[in-house]
């Protein structure tokens, strides 16, 4: 989808009568706003001359230490010296692309993949090649074959971009058996892994999995991206990258050139929140809310989808990926859906090629359960028509 | 200076016994922190679900309207639709470079110029050509000649980057007579003007001048960059670009790719501050403080500098630009200066070529007047030795 189409879709989706299964907006209303307000107020009165002053491009040290504690929950061990705080993990993605990609370089991603990652890689004139997934995530054999084919064609892959846990948009998670196989395929082909993990702590059932970075043989095999957008507040735009010291140095230089210094205020606000509030309990609150919404969506899909429609069953995150019967076109169907007051993102946006026509991404993060049921009911009618 | 040298310098400059005339940090302590704290607290309790949620890449509309009122103080008339809010004006600079510059393109700047602008243009592999200034800013004839020479050499200038008012690092201001001449030279040569104006409202004597953008014949001749870093709070990183609708659209797309959405929280905080607090009176407070510091520096320079040293007399902003006697090397002198507990930025950092060896930038924004006097006294001793 081009930018104007995306904007038109989200303008429609924002209308109150429309059930939006389109956006990936977290449920900020579940935050204890009075508490957050007090955290912000204290920050200014107690640390205002630091919080409102220029900061460093690498980010506030005490926050980088807190980030290491957060990453440890998924098995990632890293030094705060090797963390770069970024304006959301999107900026980390952009800086990694800026550092590593020359025009014509090849990036391999899952099929489908995060739409903005496609746009970012395209902005640096990279070629994007997709590798298929199934319900256990990307298929290691297909990944290895793709690397071999690309090398044989003279376009060896430089980067493998992956959202291994509760993937956006597919909702699937790379299985624990496959994780070492994926790392091994990348290591053998000399391909750097860029692991994007914004949803990892939002698991609704099953056992937690360790991040790819946690079990990488060598620290320089995986650059890890994290974010507080889904576990605390998207609007503060605080994300991070964990890399080797050498790559971290380059990221800091690129960040200085892009934005001079990271805004200290939101960083100190996040750090103060993490250090003074029961943030882990708040994540449990989010989990409960999103689990109920996911269940509402899966139940409604079972109830209202016509035969021939299939969908993924996410164990966490924000998204279900639906596949319509062959020959149906989710993008062409969108105007009828919005007329019926339900919105989704057509699948084609999540591919760099022409795939995904029969797919749609259905988000369950934002509307309450009864609205999700109503939205899926309306969607069922549109598909059946 | 390379990044490691700059970091080493600022590490030394941050030691309490050292008088730092190096950094350009605004005097945040002069803000009414209790008031700002209350503004932040109210923002979260009253608009938390918006402030902590994802926002747009163009920025919050009501802030863009406030920005138009701020720009009007310097004669700039623009629509809020054509404003893009950025993470400090540094991000605007980066996005403009990303959109307009291909490797090998030529950017013309004042000599000396803002160090981070040099780094940004260099990051996009642009060639940088300097044009000399005198006490009335850049010399229009020299600018026109440079454009002609570059065209003749097959490297026509694409962009003229200028800080016309209270320039960083030179502290000089482009005179009102020269402003139309500079615009005309650029228009004739088909060169886009990139006007960076972070200090314009911090005038300590003389009459306010109109921004270049205010008197550009055609809106597409000048992209205007502004910032709240010096008039409110640097740590919130809120700046902006005003461009034509077509360029604005490109900036928004580039911003989406770089950071997805601008952080709504600091934008709404700035907007709320502008709409509920006497921000114009606060700028007067800043002016009084900085005027006293500038006067302290100029008096101390007169008192303590040995013969042969000259310096500029800024009517506003943060910086004095000093020129040592021929043959002296300000960079080589720096270790002796820091041993004598005074720091400055050597002039070479503000040039893309090897110029500036006999120069130093002296900031008067951060230390109180008596510290500035003491710092200049120490510096005089070091130069005399």
């Amino acid at each position: 989808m081009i930018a104007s189409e995306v904007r038109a879709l989200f303008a429609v989706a924002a209308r109150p009568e429309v059930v939006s299964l389109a956006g990936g907006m977290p449920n900020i209303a579940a935050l204890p706003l009075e508490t957050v307000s007090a955290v912000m107020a204290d920050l200014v009165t107690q640390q205002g001359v630091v919080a409102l002053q220029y900061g460093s491009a690498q980010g506030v040290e005490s926050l980088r230490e807190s980030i290491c504690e957060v990453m440890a929950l998924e098995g990632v061990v890293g030094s705060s010296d090797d963390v770069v705080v970024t304006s959301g993990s999107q900026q980390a993605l952009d800086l990694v692309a800026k550092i590593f990609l020359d025009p014509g370089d090849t990036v391999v991603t899952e099929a489908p993949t995060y739409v903005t990652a496609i746009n970012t890689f395209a902005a640096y004139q990279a070629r994007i090649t997709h590798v298929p997934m199934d319900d256990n995530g990307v298929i290691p054999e297909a990944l290895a074959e793709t690397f071999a084919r690309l090398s044989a064609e003279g376009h060896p892959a430089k980067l493998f971009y992956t959202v291994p846990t509760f993937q956006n948009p597919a909702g699937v998670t790379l299985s624990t058996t496959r994780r070492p196989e994926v790392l091994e395929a990348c290591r053998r082909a000399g391909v750097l892994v860029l692991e994007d993990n914004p949803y990892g702590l939002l698991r609704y059932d099953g056992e937690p999995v360790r991040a790819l970075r946690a079990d990488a043989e060598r620290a320089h095999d995986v650059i890890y991206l994290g974010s507080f957008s889904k576990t605390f507040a998207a609007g503060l735009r605080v994300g991070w990258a964990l890399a080797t010291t050498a790559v971290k140095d380059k990221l800091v230089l690129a960040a200085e050139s892009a934005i001079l210094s990271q805004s200290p205020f939101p960083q100190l606000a996040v750090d103060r929140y993490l250090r003074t509030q029961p943030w882990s309990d708040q994540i449990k609150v989010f989990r409960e809310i999103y689990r109920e919404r996911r269940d509402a969506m899966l139940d409604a899909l079972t109830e209202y989808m016509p035969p021939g429609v299939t969908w993924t069953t996410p164990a966490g995150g924000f998204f279900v990926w639906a596949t319509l019967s062959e020959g149906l076109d989710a993008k062409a169907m969108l105007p009828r859906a919005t007329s019926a007051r339900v919105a989704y993102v057509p699948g084609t946006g999540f591919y760099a090629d022409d795939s995904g026509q029969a797919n749609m991404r259905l988000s369950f993060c934002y509307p309450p359960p009864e609205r999700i049921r109503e939205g899926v009911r309306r969607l069922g009618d549109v598909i059946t028509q």
Side-chain angles (χ1 to χ4, degrees), chain A residues 5-88:
Chain A
E5 291 175 324
V6 172
R7 267 191 224 118
L9 168 59
F10 282 101
V12 168
R15 295 208 312 250
E17 72 275 18
V18 173
V19 176
S20 177
L21 308 175
M25 295 196 301
N27 180 20
I28 298 300
L31 280 173
L33 289 180
E34 291 292 339
T35 306
V36 176
S37 170
V39 168
M40 301 284 193
D42 289 351
L43 172 58
V44 177
T45 47
Q46 293 167 25
Q47 285 184 280
V49 291
V50 177
L52 301 174
Q53 186 56 274
Y54 287 111
S56 77
Q58 186 174 0
V60 169
E61 181 163 355
S62 81
L63 174 63
R64 287 187 276 114
E65 287 165 6
S66 298
I67 283 170
C68 289
E69 288 177 34
V70 172
M71 289 192 293
L73 296 178
E74 293 176 87
V76 175
V77 178
S79 158
S80 62
D81 287 345
D82 294 336
V83 172
V84 184
V85 184
T86 53
S87 184

Side-chain angles (χ1 to χ4, degrees), chain A residues 56-59 64 79-86 95-96 98-100 220 223 241-258 260:
Chain A
S56 77
Q58 186 174 0
R64 287 187 276 114
S79 158
S80 62
D81 287 345
D82 294 336
V83 172
V84 184
V85 184
T86 53
L95 296 175
V96 168
K98 192 176 203 168
I99 288 172
F100 283 97
H220 66 260
I223 296 176
L242 172 70
T244 58
T245 306
V247 170
K248 177 269 295 176
D249 286 344
K250 285 184 186 170
L251 290 171
V252 170
L253 278 178
E256 275 171 0
S257 166
L260 196 58

Side-chain angles (χ1 to χ4, degrees), chain A residues 31-43 66 69-70 231-232 268-283:
Chain A
L31 280 173
L33 289 180
E34 291 292 339
T35 306
V36 176
S37 170
V39 168
M40 301 284 193
D42 289 351
L43 172 58
S66 298
E69 288 177 34
V70 172
T231 51
F232 179 34
L268 288 167
V270 171
D271 191 44
R272 189 171 274 259
Y273 171 81
L274 293 174
R275 286 173 189 269
T276 64
Q277 302 302 317
W279 62 273
S280 188
D281 292 345
Q282 178 59 36
I283 292 179

Side-chain angles (χ1 to χ4, degrees), chain A residues 94-136:
Chain A
D94 183 68
L95 296 175
V96 168
K98 192 176 203 168
I99 288 172
F100 283 97
L101 298 181
D102 294 313
D105 279 353
T106 304
V107 176
V108 171
T109 81
E110 289 138 354
T113 190
Y114 175 46
V115 55
T116 311
I118 295 177
N119 294 342
T120 301
F121 299 137
Y124 291 95
Q125 299 172 53
R127 296 156 36 100
I128 295 169
T129 298
H130 294 302
V131 175
M133 289 190 290
D134 60 21
D135 285 345
N136 291 310

Side-chain angles (χ1 to χ4, degrees), chain A residues 129-154:
Chain A
T129 298
H130 294 302
V131 175
M133 289 190 290
D134 60 21
D135 285 345
N136 291 310
V138 76
I139 300 165
E141 297 75 21
L143 188 65
E145 280 163 25
T146 301
F147 290 155
R149 178 174 56 77
L150 287 167
S151 287
E153 289 171 4

Side-chain angles (χ1 to χ4, degrees), chain A residues 183 211-222:
Chain A
L183 284 171
L212 283 174
R213 175 65 169 73
D215 296 309
E217 247 177 68
R218 304 172 305 190
H220 66 260
D221 289 344
V222 181

